[in-house]
Protein backbone atom coordinates (compact mmCIF):
# COMPACT_ATOMS: atom_id res chain seq x y z
CA UNK A 1 0.00 0.00 0.00
CA UNK A 2 1.39 3.46 -0.84
CA UNK A 3 2.69 5.63 1.98
CA UNK A 4 0.25 8.10 3.52
CA UNK A 5 1.14 11.76 3.97
CA UNK A 6 -0.50 14.06 6.48
CA UNK A 7 -0.76 17.80 5.99
CA UNK A 8 1.29 19.09 8.92
CA UNK A 9 -0.52 22.44 8.86
CA UNK A 10 0.56 25.97 9.67
CA UNK A 11 2.68 24.92 12.65
CA UNK A 12 5.21 23.30 10.27
CA UNK A 13 7.07 26.58 9.78
CA UNK A 14 10.23 25.06 8.26
CA UNK A 15 8.50 23.02 5.57
CA UNK A 16 9.35 19.53 6.81
CA UNK A 17 7.63 16.61 5.11
CA UNK A 18 6.29 13.46 6.66
CA UNK A 19 5.03 10.07 5.62
CA UNK A 20 3.33 7.12 7.23
CA UNK A 21 3.81 3.64 5.86
CA UNK A 22 0.56 1.78 6.43
CA UNK A 23 1.73 -1.83 6.72
CA UNK A 24 -1.33 -3.44 8.32
CA UNK A 25 -2.84 -4.37 4.94
CA UNK A 26 0.50 -5.72 3.72
CA UNK A 27 0.57 -8.16 6.63
CA UNK A 28 -3.05 -9.07 6.08
CA UNK A 29 -2.56 -9.74 2.36
CA UNK A 30 1.05 -10.97 2.69
CA UNK A 31 1.99 -8.56 -0.08
CA UNK A 32 5.19 -6.67 0.75
CA UNK A 33 7.02 -4.05 -1.29
CA UNK A 34 10.80 -3.71 -1.10
CA UNK A 35 10.65 -0.62 1.11
CA UNK A 36 8.33 -2.42 3.53
CA UNK A 37 10.71 -5.37 3.80
CA UNK A 38 13.53 -2.88 4.42
CA UNK A 39 11.57 -1.23 7.23
CA UNK A 40 10.84 -4.56 8.89
CA UNK A 41 14.54 -5.38 8.93
CA UNK A 42 15.41 -2.05 10.57
CA UNK A 43 12.75 -2.48 13.26
CA UNK A 44 13.98 -5.98 14.05
CA UNK A 45 17.58 -4.78 14.17
CA UNK A 46 16.75 -2.00 16.62
CA UNK A 47 14.60 -4.26 18.80
CA UNK A 48 17.42 -6.79 19.04
CA UNK A 49 19.88 -4.00 19.84
CA UNK A 50 17.71 -2.82 22.73
CA UNK A 51 17.87 -6.28 24.27
CA UNK A 52 21.65 -6.51 23.78
CA UNK A 53 22.29 -3.12 25.38
CA UNK A 54 20.04 -3.93 28.32
CA UNK A 55 21.86 -7.19 28.95
CA UNK A 56 25.28 -5.58 28.61
CA UNK A 57 24.37 -2.84 31.10
CA UNK A 58 22.58 -5.25 33.42
CA UNK A 59 19.46 -3.07 33.70
CA UNK A 60 16.45 -1.76 31.76
CA UNK A 61 17.36 1.03 29.34
CA UNK A 62 16.04 4.41 28.27
CA UNK A 63 15.29 4.66 24.55
CA UNK A 64 14.84 7.75 22.37
CA UNK A 65 13.10 7.39 18.99
CA UNK A 66 13.58 10.50 16.81
CA UNK A 67 10.86 10.89 14.20
CA UNK A 68 9.09 7.97 15.83
CA UNK A 69 5.77 7.96 13.95
CA UNK A 70 3.84 4.96 15.22
CA UNK A 71 6.74 3.68 17.37
CA UNK A 72 7.21 0.66 15.12
CA UNK A 73 10.44 -0.46 16.80
CA UNK A 74 8.81 -0.89 20.18
CA UNK A 75 5.65 -2.34 18.62
CA UNK A 76 7.73 -5.07 16.99
CA UNK A 77 9.61 -5.63 20.24
CA UNK A 78 6.33 -5.92 22.17
CA UNK A 79 4.88 -8.51 19.80
CA UNK A 80 7.94 -10.56 18.85
CA UNK A 81 10.27 -10.77 21.84
CA UNK A 82 9.35 -13.24 24.57
CA UNK A 83 10.67 -11.21 27.47
CA UNK A 84 9.25 -9.20 30.32
CA UNK A 85 9.21 -5.81 28.66
CA UNK A 86 10.11 -3.80 31.75
CA UNK A 87 13.24 -5.93 32.17
CA UNK A 88 14.51 -4.42 28.90
CA UNK A 89 12.86 -0.98 28.69
CA UNK A 90 12.73 1.49 31.54
CA UNK A 91 11.39 4.28 29.35
CA UNK A 92 10.71 4.70 25.63
CA UNK A 93 10.38 8.29 24.40
CA UNK A 94 9.20 8.96 20.86
CA UNK A 95 9.62 12.45 19.37
CA UNK A 96 7.58 13.51 16.36
CA UNK A 97 6.09 16.64 14.78
CA UNK A 98 2.91 14.91 13.56
CA UNK A 99 0.36 15.04 16.38
CA UNK A 100 -2.31 13.41 14.19
CA UNK A 101 -0.18 10.32 13.68
CA UNK A 102 0.63 10.22 17.39
CA UNK A 103 -3.04 10.40 18.38
CA UNK A 104 -3.90 7.50 16.05
CA UNK A 105 -1.00 5.46 17.41
CA UNK A 106 -2.21 5.92 20.99
CA UNK A 107 -5.69 4.77 19.97
CA UNK A 108 -4.47 1.69 18.08
CA UNK A 109 -1.52 0.54 20.18
CA UNK A 110 -2.39 1.48 23.74
CA UNK A 111 -1.28 -1.87 25.15
CA UNK A 112 2.19 -1.44 23.66
CA UNK A 113 2.54 1.99 25.27
CA UNK A 114 1.55 0.62 28.65
CA UNK A 115 3.71 -2.51 28.51
CA UNK A 116 6.84 -0.71 27.28
CA UNK A 117 6.58 2.53 29.26
CA UNK A 118 6.30 4.43 25.99
CA UNK A 119 5.49 8.13 25.75
CA UNK A 120 5.37 10.72 22.99
CA UNK A 121 6.84 14.22 22.82
CA UNK A 122 5.28 16.43 20.14
CA UNK A 123 8.09 18.71 18.99
CA UNK A 124 9.37 20.28 15.79
CA UNK A 125 13.09 19.67 16.10
CA UNK A 126 13.82 22.08 13.25
CA UNK A 127 12.41 24.91 15.40
CA UNK A 128 13.74 23.72 18.74
CA UNK A 129 16.30 20.89 18.61
CA UNK A 130 16.77 20.90 22.39
CA UNK A 131 15.39 17.84 24.16
CA UNK A 132 14.27 18.33 27.75
CA UNK A 133 16.50 15.58 29.12
CA UNK A 134 19.90 15.76 30.84
CA UNK A 135 23.23 14.87 29.27
CA UNK A 136 23.69 11.13 28.71
CA UNK A 137 20.09 10.31 29.65
CA UNK A 138 19.37 7.76 26.90
CA UNK A 139 21.10 4.40 26.50
CA UNK A 140 19.86 3.85 22.95
CA UNK A 141 18.78 6.23 20.20
CA UNK A 142 16.83 5.20 17.10
CA UNK A 143 16.40 7.54 14.14
CA UNK A 144 14.97 5.81 11.08
CA UNK A 145 14.00 7.58 7.85
CA UNK A 146 13.92 11.05 9.40
CA UNK A 147 16.92 12.91 7.99
CA UNK A 148 15.58 13.04 4.43
CA UNK A 149 12.33 14.73 5.52
CA UNK A 150 13.85 17.97 6.85
CA UNK A 151 15.91 20.75 5.28
CA UNK A 152 19.66 20.27 5.43
CA UNK A 153 20.45 23.34 7.55
CA UNK A 154 18.54 21.94 10.54
CA UNK A 155 20.17 18.53 10.74
CA UNK A 156 23.56 19.35 12.38
CA UNK A 157 21.93 20.82 15.51
CA UNK A 158 19.63 17.80 15.85
CA UNK A 159 22.55 15.37 15.53
CA UNK A 160 24.55 17.30 18.14
CA UNK A 161 21.58 17.17 20.52
CA UNK A 162 21.29 13.41 19.98
CA UNK A 163 24.97 13.13 20.82
CA UNK A 164 24.45 15.17 23.99
CA UNK A 165 21.65 13.02 25.39
CA UNK A 166 23.31 9.67 24.54
CA UNK A 167 24.88 7.77 27.42
CA UNK A 168 28.68 7.39 26.94
CA UNK A 169 28.13 3.63 27.04
CA UNK A 170 25.10 3.79 24.75
CA UNK A 171 24.50 3.16 21.06
CA UNK A 172 22.62 4.91 18.27
CA UNK A 173 21.16 3.59 15.02
CA UNK A 174 20.46 6.04 12.20
CA UNK A 175 19.00 5.00 8.85
CA UNK A 176 18.39 7.09 5.75
CA UNK A 177 18.27 6.59 1.97
CA UNK A 178 21.62 6.43 0.21
CA UNK A 179 21.32 9.08 -2.50
CA UNK A 180 23.95 7.95 -5.03
CA UNK A 181 23.02 10.96 -7.12
CA UNK A 182 19.26 10.44 -6.87
CA UNK A 183 18.37 13.93 -5.57
CA UNK A 184 17.25 15.00 -9.02
CA UNK A 185 14.14 12.82 -8.69
CA UNK A 186 13.07 12.53 -5.06
CA UNK A 187 9.89 11.01 -3.64
CA UNK A 188 7.29 13.64 -2.83
CA UNK A 189 7.86 13.35 0.91
CA UNK A 190 11.68 13.68 0.75
CA UNK A 191 13.55 17.00 0.81
CA UNK A 192 17.14 15.79 0.46
CA UNK A 193 18.80 12.37 0.41
CA UNK A 194 22.39 12.11 1.65
CA UNK A 195 25.23 10.14 0.14
CA UNK A 196 27.19 7.68 2.24
CA UNK A 197 30.12 10.09 2.46
CA UNK A 198 27.88 13.00 3.49
CA UNK A 199 26.36 10.96 6.31
CA UNK A 200 29.73 9.84 7.62
CA UNK A 201 30.87 13.47 7.68
CA UNK A 202 27.71 14.70 9.43
CA UNK A 203 27.96 12.08 12.16
CA UNK A 204 31.64 12.81 12.72
CA UNK A 205 30.99 16.56 12.95
CA UNK A 206 28.34 15.90 15.61
CA UNK A 207 30.87 13.95 17.69
CA UNK A 208 29.79 10.40 16.92
CA UNK A 209 32.10 7.49 16.15
CA UNK A 210 30.92 5.28 13.30
CA UNK A 211 31.33 1.71 14.56
CA UNK A 212 29.64 0.00 11.61
CA UNK A 213 27.53 0.70 8.55
CA UNK A 214 25.28 -1.83 6.85
CA UNK A 215 23.54 -1.46 3.53
CA UNK A 216 19.85 -2.31 3.22
CA UNK A 217 18.38 -3.54 -0.08
CA UNK A 218 21.20 -3.83 -2.58
CA UNK A 219 20.87 -2.46 -6.09
CA UNK A 220 22.36 -5.36 -8.08
CA UNK A 221 22.84 -3.27 -11.22
CA UNK A 222 25.26 -0.95 -9.37
CA UNK A 223 27.64 -3.71 -8.29
CA UNK A 224 30.72 -4.25 -10.48
CA UNK A 225 30.78 -7.69 -12.11
CA UNK A 226 34.04 -8.66 -10.41
CA UNK A 227 32.52 -8.05 -6.96
CA UNK A 228 29.46 -10.10 -7.83
CA UNK A 229 31.75 -12.89 -8.95
CA UNK A 230 33.47 -12.89 -5.55
CA UNK A 231 30.13 -13.61 -3.88
CA UNK A 232 28.57 -15.78 -6.59
CA UNK A 233 28.07 -18.88 -4.39
CA UNK A 234 26.41 -16.89 -1.61
CA UNK A 235 24.21 -15.08 -4.12
CA UNK A 236 23.03 -18.37 -5.60
CA UNK A 237 22.04 -19.63 -2.15
CA UNK A 238 20.05 -16.49 -1.40
CA UNK A 239 18.36 -16.59 -4.81
CA UNK A 240 17.44 -20.24 -4.21
CA UNK A 241 15.95 -19.30 -0.84
CA UNK A 242 14.02 -16.16 -1.80
CA UNK A 243 13.85 -16.01 -5.61
CA UNK A 244 16.05 -13.89 -7.85
CA UNK A 245 15.48 -10.12 -7.57
CA UNK A 246 12.72 -10.55 -4.99
CA UNK A 247 12.42 -7.94 -2.25
CA UNK A 248 13.62 -10.44 0.33
CA UNK A 249 16.64 -11.42 -1.79
CA UNK A 250 17.69 -7.79 -2.31
CA UNK A 251 17.58 -7.21 1.45
CA UNK A 252 19.33 -10.49 2.28
CA UNK A 253 22.15 -9.78 -0.21
CA UNK A 254 22.85 -6.25 0.99
CA UNK A 255 25.26 -7.04 3.87
CA UNK A 256 27.57 -8.86 1.44
CA UNK A 257 28.41 -5.66 -0.41
CA UNK A 258 29.55 -2.13 0.30
CA UNK A 259 26.76 0.16 1.59
CA UNK A 260 27.39 2.50 -1.34
CA UNK A 261 25.59 -0.01 -3.60
CA UNK A 262 22.49 -0.10 -1.41
CA UNK A 263 19.25 1.84 -1.37
CA UNK A 264 19.48 2.61 2.35
CA UNK A 265 22.20 2.45 4.98
CA UNK A 266 21.99 1.79 8.72
CA UNK A 267 24.74 3.62 10.62
CA UNK A 268 25.84 2.22 13.99
CA UNK A 269 27.13 5.06 16.17
CA UNK A 270 28.68 5.51 19.58
CA UNK A 271 30.25 8.34 21.58
CA UNK A 272 33.73 6.83 21.65
CA UNK A 273 35.80 4.15 19.94
Amino acid sequence: MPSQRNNLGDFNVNGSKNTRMEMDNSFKDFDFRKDEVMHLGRYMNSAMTMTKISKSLGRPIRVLDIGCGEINTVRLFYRSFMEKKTDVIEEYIGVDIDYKMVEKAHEKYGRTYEACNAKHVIQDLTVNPHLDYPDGYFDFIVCFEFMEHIKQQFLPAILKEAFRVLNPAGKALFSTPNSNGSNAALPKDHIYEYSYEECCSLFKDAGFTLTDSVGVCVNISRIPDEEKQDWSDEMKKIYNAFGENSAFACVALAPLFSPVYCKNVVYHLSKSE
Side-chain angles (χ1 to χ4, degrees):
M1 181 175 179
S3 299
Q4 299 178 0
R5 299 173 180 89
N6 291 337
N7 183 347
L8 294 176
D10 294 337
F11 63 87
N12 180 25
V13 296
N14 288 320
S16 300
K17 297 182 179 181
N18 85 319
T19 187
R20 173 178 178 266
M21 184 169 289
E22 173 58 79
M23 297 181 67
D24 292 350
N25 288 334
S26 298
F27 278 103
K28 179 175 140 183
D29 300 333
F30 207 72
D31 181 16
F32 296 100
R33 297 176 299 161
K34 281 185 180 180
D35 52 350
E36 291 172 329
V37 176
M38 290 161 59
H39 277 68
L40 286 172
R42 284 189 285 269
Y43 302 146
M44 179 62 73
N45 185 354
S46 56
M48 291 173 63
T49 302
M50 287 195 302
T51 302
K52 290 179 181 177
I53 294 174
S54 175
K55 289 181 178 178
S56 70
L57 294 176
R59 60 171 173 78
I61 62 173
R62 295 166 175 165
V63 180
L64 173 66
D65 192 343
I66 298 173
C68 62
E70 295 186 315
I71 59 169
N72 289 322
T73 286
V74 77
R75 284 172 54 204
L76 186 148
F77 173 77
Y78 173 65
R79 291 292 183 185
S80 302
F81 285 71
M82 305 303 292
E83 303 188 45
K84 186 177 179 182
K85 309 310 175 188
T86 52
D87 285 347
V88 175
I89 300 176
E90 177 184 340
E91 187 177 22
Y92 194 103
I93 302 297
V95 180
D96 205 286
I97 187 177
D98 190 346
Y99 70 90
K100 294 179 183 178
M101 187 184 299
V102 168
E103 288 174 355
K104 290 179 181 179
H106 275 279
E107 291 175 5
K108 292 177 68 175
Y109 311 116
R111 291 179 63 185
T112 302
Y113 281 88
E114 183 178 353
C116 299
N117 300 322
K119 303 179 185 69
H120 268 112
V121 174
I122 306 300
Q123 184 171 334
D124 184 348
L125 294 174
T126 69
V127 173
N128 174 23
H130 177 74
L131 297 166
D132 195 18
Y133 296 93
D135 294 359
Y137 186 82
F138 293 100
D139 303 296
F140 183 48
I141 295 177
V142 183
C143 183
F144 288 166
E145 315 318 300
F146 165 82
M147 295 166 56
E148 66 273 17
H149 296 281
I150 65 173
K151 293 177 181 177
Q152 292 170 268
Q153 64 263 37
F154 302 114
L155 185 58
I158 295 171
L159 292 179
K160 288 179 181 178
E161 182 67 0
F163 180 84
R164 182 188 71 80
V165 298
L166 181 63
N167 186 318
K171 303 291 182 185
L173 291 183
F174 279 73
S175 174
T176 191
N178 182 29
S179 73
N180 286 308
S182 65
N183 278 299
L186 292 173
K188 291 181 179 179
D189 57 335
H190 290 190
I191 292 176
Y192 184 83
E193 293 183 358
Y194 296 86
S195 69
Y196 180 80
E197 293 77 13
E198 286 176 311
C199 282
C200 290
S201 179
L202 282 164
F203 295 134
K204 182 179 179 180
D205 289 347
F208 287 108
T209 296
L210 179 65
T211 58
D212 196 11
S213 58
V214 182
V216 182
C217 196
V218 70
N219 187 331
I220 297 294
S221 63
R222 290 181 181 160
I223 303 173
D225 290 339
E226 59 270 21
E227 291 193 37
K228 285 190 279 189
Q229 186 62 37
D230 291 340
W231 293 100
S232 59
D233 291 341
E234 289 78 4
M235 292 177 70
K236 287 177 183 177
K237 291 178 182 178
I238 290 173
Y239 286 152
N240 286 337
F242 298 110
E244 189 167 353
N245 293 325
S246 71
F248 291 96
C250 291
V251 171
L253 284 169
L256 298 179
F257 299 99
S258 167
V260 300
Y261 302 132
C262 295
K263 185 175 180 182
N264 282 64
V265 179
V266 179
Y267 300 87
H268 296 240
L269 308 172
S270 68
K271 294 188 88 163
S272 61
E273 294 181 294

